[in-house]
Amino acid sequence: MYANQRVLSLFVSAVFLAGCGTAGSGLFPVVSGGRYGYIDRSGKVAIQPQFEAAGDFEEGLAPVRVSGRWGYIDTAGKLAIAPQFDLADPFSSDGLAMVGSGGKLGFIRKDGRYVINPVYDGAGEFGEHLAPVAINGRWGYIDNKGVPAINPQFDEASIFSEGMAAVRIGGVHGYIDKTGKLAINPQFDVAGDFHDGRAAVRSGGRYGYIDRHGKMMIPPQFDGAGDFGDGLALVAVGQRFGYIGKDGKFEINPQFERAGAFRGGLAPVWLAGRLGYVNKDGKYVWNPAA
C-alpha cells in the first residue's frame, strides 16, 4: 500500500484526476471510449485514445498505463520508458519522476533508470530541487541526488513552491523555508502550495487564501479550494466548482461537478461524469459530451 504522494491535498484535490495539462507540451489528456489520449490547445486530437490511464506531459514525457503497468510516452505518443511501474508521476523540472514498485517509492530519470532507489513509504514530486519523503511515518526532504536536506520531523509534508512548503505538525499546518525553519506558524486545518503568491488554507471549516507572509488575502468562504494556476484558482461552493481571480471574485461561475487547475490556458472539468476542457473565458475546447 502506497502512502499518498501529495499528502497535503485540499478537499477539492480529490476531484483532480488525470487531466491538468501543461503549457510545456501543449498536450492535455482526455478520455474517449474508455481510453485515454491527448488533445492540443485547440481541442484537436494529437495522440489517439489508447491507454488505460494517462497523466500530464512534463519535460517532454507523460505517464501512461498499459496492461496494468505504468510507463512513459513522448509527445509523438511513442513509448519512451516501457510500462513496468506500479504507479508513476509526471517528471519534474529536475528531470526526475516519482515511481512506485513493490510498495515503495523512488525516482527515475528520463531514460527510465533509478536515480533514487524505491525505499520510501511516501514521497512527493520534486519542487525547487527538493522532494518530500517519508520513512517510518515521519516526513523530511531529500535533494535530487537522494541526500537528506531536511531531517524527517513532520507529520506530513508537501512540495516546495515559491520558496516554501506546507507541513503538518500535530493537527495543524504551517509553512517552512528551504532550511527547514518555520516561515508561517502552524495554525491552519489544511494548507496548499503557493502559486502566484497565494496559497489556499482552511480555517474555521472554510477555505480562503493567504500571501507569503501568512496574511489572509481572500477571506475563508469556500467549501473547497485549489492552487492558483494561470491567474485563476479552482474553488467549490456547495457541490459545484468554478474559478476565481486573485481578488477572490468569480471569473467562471460554479457549474462543474468536478474540475482541475488551469495549466497552459486550459482546465479539465467534468459534467455528467465526463471530462472536458475549458479556456479562461469558460468556453469549451473539448466538450464533456465528446
Side-chain angles (χ1 to χ4, degrees):
M1 186 72 167
Y2 291 98
N4 187 344
Q5 57 261 42
R6 189 179 184 277
V7 295
L8 292 188
S9 17
L10 301 181
F11 165 76
V12 294
S13 72
V15 305
F16 295 170
L17 306 182
C20 294
T22 61
S25 69
L27 299 179
F28 303 79
V30 295
V31 186
S32 181
R35 293 282 167 169
Y36 284 78
Y38 292 83
I39 59 170
D40 62 21
R41 287 190 181 93
S42 71
K44 180 181 178 181
V45 174
I47 299 174
Q48 291 294 328
Q50 58 193 284
F51 307 109
E52 296 169 354
D56 295 336
F57 270 96
E58 295 283 2
E59 301 295 305
L61 298 177
V64 296
R65 191 175 71 205
V66 179
S67 299
R69 307 292 284 173
W70 286 85
Y72 291 81
I73 58 170
D74 61 22
T75 54
K78 296 180 179 180
L79 281 171
I81 300 174
Q84 58 193 282
F85 307 109
D86 298 333
L87 60 81
D89 259 14
F91 276 86
S92 71
S93 58
D94 282 61
L96 301 180
M98 185 187 68
V99 296
S101 181
K104 298 290 185 179
L105 298 166
F107 297 84
I108 60 169
R109 60 191 186 191
K110 293 170 71 175
D111 62 4
R113 296 182 181 182
Y114 279 103
V115 173
I116 301 169
N117 288 328
V119 297
Y120 300 106
D121 303 321
E125 65 183 276
F126 272 92
E128 300 178 356
H129 313 302
L130 297 176
V133 294
I135 293 181
N136 298 325
R138 305 299 287 171
W139 287 79
Y141 290 82
I142 58 172
D143 67 17
N144 53 20
K145 292 181 174 58
V147 177
I150 299 174
N151 290 330
Q153 59 192 285
F154 307 110
D155 296 306
E156 291 178 348
S158 191
I159 66 171
F160 270 94
S161 179
E162 299 187 4
M164 291 194 287
V167 297
R168 179 170 67 84
I169 300 174
V172 289
H173 299 79
Y175 292 84
I176 59 170
D177 63 22
K178 295 178 78 172
T179 70
K181 295 180 180 180
L182 284 170
I184 299 175
N185 288 330
Q187 59 193 283
F188 306 109
D189 302 326
V190 178
D193 302 329
F194 274 97
H195 293 278
D196 296 340
R198 299 284 187 271
V201 297
R202 190 178 72 197
S203 180
R206 294 284 195 173
Y207 288 85
Y209 289 82
I210 60 170
D211 66 13
R212 289 170 45 81
H213 301 290
K215 181 181 179 181
M216 194 69 71
M217 302 302 293
I218 300 175
Q221 59 192 285
F222 306 108
D223 296 308
D227 298 335
F228 270 90
D230 290 353
L232 299 178
L234 173 65
V235 297
V237 176
Q239 298 299 312
R240 292 288 167 170
F241 296 85
Y243 296 85
I244 60 169
K246 291 180 70 175
D247 59 2
K249 296 179 180 179
F250 276 100
E251 298 291 335
I252 301 175
N253 288 329
Q255 59 194 281
F256 309 111
E257 295 171 353
R258 298 183 291 172
F262 268 93
R263 298 288 185 269
L266 299 182
V269 297
W270 282 260
L271 283 174
R274 299 181 69 88
L275 169 66
Y277 280 89
V278 294
N279 61 23
K280 293 176 69 175
D281 294 323
K283 296 180 179 178
Y284 285 108
V285 299
W286 179 269
N287 197 296

